[in-house]
Amino acid sequence: MDERAIRKIEGHLRGTFANARITLMPRPKQKDSAEVYVGEEFIGVVFEDEDGDGSYVFNMSILAEDLP
């Protein structure tokens, strides 16, 4: 995933969730995805869609210990 795509998705997520603290960081060993953070907390991964049509998939796990 190139820097332009990362910034475009980052802007979209910031606007959608009204949170300027969302950042995307390229993954060092994977070229098709980026890690998603809110501040310093890792929350998920964005992957390029397999269709290659410019779509992306945001994957976020919610662990049982994180729930009240």
Side-chain angles (χ1 to χ4, degrees), residues 24-35:
L24 272 66
M25 301 295 293
R27 296 175 77 193
K29 295 182 181 180
Q30 303 293 327
K31 300 295 183 196
D32 66 342
S33 57
E35 296 177 345

Side-chain angles (χ1 to χ4, degrees), residues 35-63:
E35 296 177 345
V36 182
Y37 292 85
V38 175
E40 293 183 13
E41 184 175 355
F42 171 80
I43 63 163
V45 179
V46 171
F47 296 93
E48 291 180 6
D49 189 23
E50 295 175 359
D51 294 339
D53 64 354
S55 296
Y56 299 89
V57 176
F58 174 47
N59 186 339
M60 182 176 101
S61 298
I62 301 171
L63 305 177

